[in-house]
Amino acid sequence: AQGSIALAHFSAGRYDAALSWAQKSIREKPNFLPSIRIFAASCAMAGRMEDAQRAIARVHQLNPAFRASDVKDLYRASRPDDLARYEQALRKAGLSE
């Protein structure tokens, strides 16, 4: 649930709140990729690039094949603008195409 709250904050443009909720989720489930991704994206949008890059390194460690273009397959219910911003933030954080 905390990861979903983080995604909701991200979608609303509240990046600091999003990364805080994502951190809570990651503390409970350190390998939960959706929370790590939203943390990375939120950090990138909040200007915390070192944290964003470390999170992307963790994403690559857990799922080396994951690419920014894969996001649209995971979040089909998202609004197109939110999805585009999420993909852009993950790219900014260092996720490959």
Side-chain angles (χ1 to χ4, degrees), residues 28-75:
E28 288 190 24
K29 293 186 177 184
N31 296 328
F32 189 56
L33 278 167
S35 293
I36 298 168
R37 289 190 299 257
I38 195 65
F39 177 77
S42 299
C43 285
M45 296 302 278
R48 294 177 51 176
M49 294 310 296
E50 288 182 27
D51 291 332
Q53 291 166 351
R54 277 194 295 273
I56 291 299
R58 183 71 176 142
V59 169
H60 283 143
Q61 183 181 39
L62 294 171
N63 184 355
F66 188 78
R67 302 287 178 256
S69 59
D70 296 330
V71 169
K72 65 184 173 299
D73 296 328
L74 299 175
Y75 298 100

Side-chain angles (χ1 to χ4, degrees), residues 83-97:
L83 183 59
R85 190 164 21 97
Y86 188 36
E87 286 182 51
Q88 175 189 16
L90 288 171
R91 286 184 186 97
K92 184 177 180 180
L95 190 62
S96 308
E97 286 296 318

